Amino acid sequence: MPQPPAFADILAARELLAGYLPATPMWSYPVLDAVTGATVHVKHENVQPVGAFKVRGGLTLLSGLTPAQRARGLVTYSTGNHAQSLAYACAAFGASCTVVMPETVPEAKARAARALGADVVLHGPDMGAAQEWAEKLAADGDRHLVSPGDTPALLAGVGTLYLEIFEARPDLDAVVVPVGSGTGAAAACLVAAELAPNCRVIAVQSSAAPAAHDSWRDGVCVRRPNRTTVEGLATGRGFTLPQHVMRSGLADFHLVSDTQIAAAQRLLASHAHTLAEGAGAAALAAVLARPQEFTGQRVAVVCSGGNASTAEIAALGEGAAPVLGE
């Protein structure tokens, strides 16, 4: 297993990223607070240049590679946001980028990665098949394979968003983080241990793709069916590096339904003027699902991305008010 980054690595990543990315805003919305019964601070990673927090990790990774490593080119696998992050970073550093995506990925996701300069290869029905093909392509072409979960530099880069959160709000009672591979929640654990040891770090995942949740609960990385429609949470296995960090750092790990996530998306749109993709609304969904756990508390929710599909955007006007505790 690769070693987790140290807190010093996250601080170094912040210095690096200052030349590429400004800090993202974190705002509270009175109407949202009234609905949740908590003081909710929304960390707006949806305003990043690729629409998601992962760009922090991509830039950190590329900056740490040697010119020879960049010249070899990079290969990775993704359903969307990680692909855009790595493509964006490779373009910034003049490296070639190949992304393997499942054949089921929406065309808009593949188009977005291509627009950033990536060579997109569609292969297989799911992320497992995409990973296997990416590994083959990397080995055959002697290119640098990038795991979206088990790459320490990605985790270090993502950690910079939690520096921003805890330095702005050191008095938080909880921070709630959506989990796909788990880099975000793991990074939150590392930074909270240094800056906010009394703040609970709570992970959240779709109940229709519970591999990371079950890996954390069972203490060993497992595979689970991946049936969620929330693309940013659509992983079928636990990743070793983030799981190692989360096992000692998480206060809890919640599951929410895709229906609850969609309700949280509508609430963010109507009460916080925020377009969130499903993964970006999952943290708020967890707060809505357990009002007894968060009422009266100061809570940060990470809106991890805003790359909502056209179907998600169309659905924002449908349905009723969020369903609490479903």
Side-chain angles (χ1 to χ4, degrees), residues 23-79:
T24 55
M26 184 167 68
W27 292 320
S28 183
Y29 302 89
V31 183
L32 190 60
D33 292 350
V35 171
T36 61
T39 301
V40 176
H41 302 279
V42 181
K43 181 60 170 171
H44 284 283
E45 290 296 292
N46 56 304
V47 301
Q48 291 286 10
V50 301
F53 76 107
K54 288 180 179 288
V55 68
R56 297 173 182 264
L59 287 168
T60 301
L61 170 66
L62 265 293
S63 74
L65 297 180
T66 66
Q69 288 173 318
R70 293 178 198 141
R72 288 168 53 198
L74 285 78
V75 180
T76 194
Y77 45 98
S78 172
T79 56

Side-chain angles (χ1 to χ4, degrees), residues 182-195:
T183 56
C189 292
L190 293 175
V191 179
E194 295 288 336
L195 300 184

Side-chain angles (χ1 to χ4, degrees), residues 204 252-256 260 285-295 324-325:
V204 58
D252 209 347
F253 201 141
H254 295 166
L255 292 174
V256 292
Q260 288 172 307
V287 174
L288 292 167
R290 292 171 176 81
Q292 72 283 356
E293 183 173 339
F294 297 102
T295 297
L324 305 185

